[in-house]
Amino acid sequence: MDASWEDFGWERLGHGTGRRRLPRWDATALLVAGPDGALLCDTGSSLREGVELRTQAEALLGRRVTHIALSHPHFDHVLGTAAFAGARVYGSEGVAELLRRGADGLYADAVAQGLPEADAAGSVDVLVAPDHEVRGELTVDLGGGREAVLVDMGAAHSGHDLAVLVPGPPALVFCGDLVEESGEPQAGPDARPARWPAALDRLLELGGEAALYVPGHGAVVDAAFVRAQREALAGRFGVS
């Protein structure tokens, strides 16, 4: 199952687990596979990227993605979801309603950031909102003892952040844009800066010192990086 991850431009992180850094915005998609199911965390910035991710995931695993987890409702992480027909889609509490009423804003943001208008319009026209909302924590069973724990992180980088813990060893924590490695963390109009450092404390509680932390943008990092980014955000926003 894992023989050709690198051939598709994916970074293998463990048995049945790997991630792809997508071009242009360097957004990450994480794939976690068990014998009975496969979870993809984030779906890219357009339907075109979503189709590419689906095609590669099916080639790697020999079967379909069954579950989608959306880390937060920004265009570069959610606009490819419609490519995964039949998958269960998870988001934090409130994301479904936000995406249903916020399609115009997603389109405008995507175009402003450089996505071609035709790609943005086509992706928004088929936008898929989560059909399963996470309140607190929810465990997804992928079979054979492989589980993923979806954790509603509340508002921090966005108004609706979700993290995913894949128990190890080593444990993996998919952070979304709560953690960024390839640039300074971005705080848009929906960010809640006062809550952001506490969200990173929660990530560290979930994963522990030995975990691999998969950021929304950039290279995989360790607990020390997350802790340093937490302190930098606290200083930047004047919170403890």
Side-chain angles (χ1 to χ4, degrees), residues 71 92 134-138 149-154 161-165 178 202-203 206:
S71 66
S92 62
V134 179
R135 298 171 177 84
E137 298 184 8
L138 176 68
V149 183
L150 314 186
V151 183
D152 182 3
M153 303 294 290
D161 291 307
L162 183 79
V164 180
L165 168 66
L178 292 169
R202 177 65 174 136
L203 289 179
L206 288 171

Side-chain angles (χ1 to χ4, degrees), residues 75-102:
F75 86 93
D76 50 331
H77 299 264
V78 305
L79 285 186
T81 308
F84 298 89
R88 296 182 179 182
V89 182
Y90 298 83
S92 62
E93 185 174 7
V95 165
E97 177 61 24
L98 179 65
L99 290 179
R100 291 188 188 105
R101 61 180 171 79

